[in-house]
């Protein structure tokens, strides 16, 4: 996945899809702050690393051109050492999450991609069919969004000609109203928006407990995250 050109049977075809994967470089005290009251900083770092690696394994199985949208801006070398050279790398630039997403979408569209979606790294057991369904939906719809149970969203995407930068402005980020505020902007712009099923962000100890229960009953039971959680008895 080092380029957007996919080679099949000796011929080259351009993949018009692009996935923006938002990742923070894992350093103690800089990630998953709501878990800090329950888990040691080094445990949170290792847990988050497993989140990212499990999501990348899922994305690799889909063979979609992927940007690692990393933060902070000065961590490109460290992210490449951690995650490898098989991806595009793009720094998150902007004063808030909305500006960062707007910047990354704009860059991807400028590179010739026509269908672009973004996901974060807080949903390690995100089903792969949600990704394929998202890309399929924006073939005919204007936009796609995946609401999270906590009131945010875990995925948003557009076609190039229907990209709506306004959806990233004026939002109360990190609140329980992010999804509803964003959907209202899409609706007021006249967008035909495809809604994915609700899914889970992992932000609290309760979220982790629910993840373990879900994971035991799904293919996620074989994941790095589940192995780490069970091996270290992270959740009592």
């Amino acid at each position: 996945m080092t380029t957007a050109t996919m080679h099949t049977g000796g011929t080259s075809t351009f993949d018009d899809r692009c996935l923006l994967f938002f990742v923070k470089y894992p350093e103690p005290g800089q990630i998953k702050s709501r878990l800090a009251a329950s888990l040691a900083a080094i445990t949170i770092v290792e847990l988050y690393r497993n989140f990212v690696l499990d999501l990348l394994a899922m994305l690799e199985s889909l063979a979609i051109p992927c940007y690692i949208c990393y933060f902070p801006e000065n961590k490109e070398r460290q992210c490449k050492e951690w995650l490898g050279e098989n991806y595009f790398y793009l720094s998150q630039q902007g004063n808030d999450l909305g500006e960062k997403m707007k910047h990354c979408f704009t860059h991807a569209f400028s590179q010739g991609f026509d269908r672009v979606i973004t996901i974060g790294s807080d949903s390690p057991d995100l089903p792969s069919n949600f990704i394929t369904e998202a890309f399929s939906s924006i073939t005919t719809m204007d936009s796609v969004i995946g609401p999270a149970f906590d009131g945010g969203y875990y995925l948003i995407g557009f076609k190039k000609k229907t990209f709506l930068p306004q959806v990233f402005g004026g939002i109360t980020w990190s609140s329980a109203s992010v999804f509803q505020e964003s959907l209202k902007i899409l609706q007021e712009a006249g967008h035909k928006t495809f809604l994915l099923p609700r899914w889970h962000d992992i932000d609290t100890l309760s979220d982790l407990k629910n993840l373990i229960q879900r994971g035991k009953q799904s293919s996620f039971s074989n994941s790095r995250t589940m192995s780490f959680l069970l091996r270290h008895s992270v959740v009592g």
Side-chain angles (χ1 to χ4, degrees), residues 43-57 121-126 202 207-209 211-212 214-215 219-235:
T43 300
I44 295 172
V45 166
E46 289 305 311
L47 182 63
Y48 181 77
R49 284 178 172 268
N50 284 298
F51 282 11
V52 171
L53 293 174
D54 281 332
L55 281 163
L56 280 178
S121 43
D122 293 331
S123 303
D125 63 338
L126 186 67
I202 309 301
D207 294 335
L208 278 178
K209 291 178 180 178
L211 175 65
I212 290 173
R214 287 198 310 277
S219 59
F220 194 69
S221 61
N222 298 317
S223 66
R224 291 180 174 87
T225 298
M226 284 290 287
S227 176
F228 178 80
L229 287 170
L230 297 175
R231 186 172 67 250
H232 293 276
S233 300
V234 170
V235 179

